[in-house]
């Protein structure tokens, strides 16, 4: 039996049908922004492109990218000259915006995303696709335990889950482990949604602080996001065990489109991307930024275009994530290319001239030894991406590990990293419970620290 | 020109039409809960009432009350025997619940309120009535700066403001003054919604911490709730001035009904209650709990019945607020009886055998002298409501007040309290900036403290 889908017409399209639909929607979008936005008209003119001439998706490669710096500048300008904060690149009346999201503002002033009613409806449709793939029916109890905020995983998630008709328990992550545990015990959610690190935090502290064993909550699904752990066996397997056999699913969004856009299945085989009809993506070479053919195994920087976005359409948005795409059918029977997060362009380190992602280092360490807990942090001695070898890595090890075993472990890890990532490393082992996780403003764990900070 | 209303058919009904509609809806509700809920059938049978016999609203006085303790016990029982947390008194299928709210849980385990889609729709209608009375149109920017949580003023407020079509900026109060200020400057809200004390906090700290003067934000409406300050000139007038002439409006809800249910107008003349078609209220004598006739000036404990509530209908809910009702027409031209919050039944102190509300003490102090800032706290030496006279009151006074003026002030305040509230008081004056506000879990300011705590 094929697994059920929310919107089979869109989710089951063949590759060529998808491409044809994308071309139609893209033409409409590009013509709209060219006609309605002096900002885009000027930008396209300068790049020498005109939507009238777009005959195939290949022509789209000539269009200029959009990124956070440009978005911020465009929004600053619209605040000064147009009395709204959605940027000079918007094409809708700002009064048709119904809900505002913002970035966390950790790297400068916040940037804003507006959603019209139609934008909300597409988001709702995408959320429903995820929920149906999870086996969640209207009426099932779902606990929202990620931060309730303007951030894209906050209020927009609450909004779209209610629209689907779940029994939503919006407890939020900031309520703390005690309240999350008590309310989960009282309301018996079938599914909980939170960041990877909050799930780990619950596992670590719930029983000791509340007497409630997370395995007894009756959860069937733990939906995690925001960090790569949801697709890494060393991270999701202990979570599944601690939550009494609940299955961990990794959910992803797409900046500038209608998040969420993909969710992993019970095969834990990458994230099924189910939203190609509204969240068109390209994979670009991280150096040349040339668009690469979408073939099985292709890897590079993902670039998104929200195809029917009304407020603030972002044309060729550089999301700064490095993604590997799998196009082979999944054993689960569900459609959609699968995506594996490899790292952030901004987090990329340069060791002996080679690009290294912090979570690739974590992956190697996790796969090499089960004496570690999965928590690591790379120590840099200066700002910028260049890190001289040997690279110092702090590694949390399981409680009570004797010194002699630590020495052997250091050798094993150095060999594995040298073999797989081509650089030498040294290690500072930190005992379980002593390792302090560093968090960014949105709750994501930071894998790099600067010495003396 | 009469001010515009959202739902004139309901909001403009005469008293007799309202009563007739309430009787019809009440009969339907009582028959439904009697037929569908063994819990209510048993409760009504024990009280000797049968909805078949309800011929007039006067008969409703024979029905038993519902309160927090009963709700908590009913919900504990439903968790044990019915695998849901909405209480044995619900009449809907728990799978039709779409959104869950909870109490803050400060006085024991949290209690839960479920909202079906229809419950959400009535809430949305009531929210729209408030927004239209505020002069807020779809597309206007509204900042939600109260806590984003399961509490009734959190996610439900977000949900219903989006449904009306404002451009919602859900910044939340926990983001802190810096982020609220920055996002307000960027998004230019017409209106901000927050607790009274958060509004005061913004006024006190925004400019010093962010360089942004709240008077320059361009706000037209500051909607406050959760504390009585929004109807007290000594509190709202300084707020209006600090927010550059924005008008402060006081909004109220009704536990067990479809909040919000009332909002004050530009006359600052009590809160217009606009939801009598779905949030029926009675005023009861606080001692005898006998229902009092709704006449101009009547004062007592307010008892609510949510007339079309699908999930968890609460029959004769004791909200524990003491309210004074005004039925005289308001100069603003808007309909609806007006309500003035006098105090909480649970906060009522007993001084020399007389009931005293902490905020009545605050009111007297505020009205007697402009040397005080409006912040006070009554110090009790033991738990329970009994406080021996003279009552010790901590009073915040304006910066730099000389000792001699403090002595005169103490005499003035003691005389005023003695004259108006019939007890003697002593004062501990605390200089502006040194007075630490005590907050409950929902951000409300506590006006009573126990010594040695």
């Amino acid at each position: 039996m094929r697994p059920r889908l929310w919107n089979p017409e869109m989710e089951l399209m063949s590759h060529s049908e998808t491409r044809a639909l994308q071309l139609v929607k893209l033409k409409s979008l590009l013509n709209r922004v060219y006609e309605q936005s002096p900002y885009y008209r000027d930008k396209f003119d300068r790049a020498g492109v005109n939507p009238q001439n777009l005959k195939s998706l290949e022509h789209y490669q000539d269009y200029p990218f959009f990124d956070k710096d440009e978005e911020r500048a465009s929004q600053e300008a619209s605040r000064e000259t147009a009395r709204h904060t959605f940027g000079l690149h918007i094409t809708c009346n700002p009064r048709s915006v119904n809900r505002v999201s913002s970035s966390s503002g950790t790297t400068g002033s916040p940037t804003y995303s507006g959603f019209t009613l139609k934008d909300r409806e597409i988001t709702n449709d995408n959320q429903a696709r995820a929920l149906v793939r999870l086996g969640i029916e209207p009426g099932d109890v779902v606990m929202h335990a990620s931060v309730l905020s303007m951030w894209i995983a906050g209020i927009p998630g609450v909004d779209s889950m209610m629209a689907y008709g779940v029994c939503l328990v919006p407890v939020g992550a900031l309520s703390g482990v005690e309240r999350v545990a008590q309310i989960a015990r009282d309301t018996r959610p079938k599914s909980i949604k939170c960041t990877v690190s909050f799930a780990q935090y619950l596992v670590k502290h719930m029983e000791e602080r509340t007497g409630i064993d997370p395995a007894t909550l009756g959860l069937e699904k733990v939906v995690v996001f925001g960090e790569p752990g949801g697709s890494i066996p060393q991270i999701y397997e202990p979570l599944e065990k601690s939550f009494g056999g609940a299955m961990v699913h990794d959910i992803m969004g797409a900046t500038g489109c209608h998040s969420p856009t993909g969710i992993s299945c019970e095969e834990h085989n990458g994230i099924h991307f189910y939203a190609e009809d509204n969240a068109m993506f390209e994979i670009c070479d991280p150096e040349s930024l040339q668009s690469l053919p979408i073939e099985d195994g292709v890897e590079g920087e993902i670039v998104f275009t929200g195809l029917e976005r009304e407020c603030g359409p972002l044309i060729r948005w550089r999301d700064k994530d490095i993604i590997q795409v799998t196009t082979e059918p999944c054993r689960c029977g569900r459609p959609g290319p699968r995506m594996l997060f490899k790292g952030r362009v901004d987090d990329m380190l340069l060791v002996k001239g080679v690009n290294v992602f912090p979570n690739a280092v974590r992956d190697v360490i996790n796969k090499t030894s089960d004496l570690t807990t999965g928590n690591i942090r790379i120590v840099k001695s200066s700002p910028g991406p260049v890190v001289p070898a040997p690279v110092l890595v702090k590694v949390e090890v399981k409680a009570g590990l004797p010194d002699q075993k630590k020495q052997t472990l250091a050798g094993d890890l150095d060999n594995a990293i040298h073999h797989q990532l081509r650089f030498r490393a040294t290690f500072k082992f930190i005992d379980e419970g002593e390792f302090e996780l560093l968090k960014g403003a949105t709750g994501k764990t930071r894998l790099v620290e600067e010495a003396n900070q």
Side-chain angles (χ1 to χ4, degrees), chain A residues 69-86:
Chain A
D69 290 336
E70 183 176 346
E71 186 181 42
R72 183 171 288 124
S74 174
Q75 296 193 346
E76 278 168 12
S78 76
R79 289 199 287 274
E80 280 168 25
T81 64
R83 297 186 65 87
H84 68 77
T85 194
F86 304 114

Side-chain angles (χ1 to χ4, degrees), chain A residues 176-190:
Chain A
V177 58
E178 290 84 355
R179 196 163 154 89
V180 168
Q182 179 171 37
I183 292 182
R185 190 176 55 180
D186 289 352
T187 60
R188 301 172 168 268
K190 180 171 179 176

Side-chain angles (χ1 to χ4, degrees), chain A residues 142 175 334 357 423:
Chain A
V142 174
S175 303
R334 294 185 190 83
F357 289 112
F423 65 86

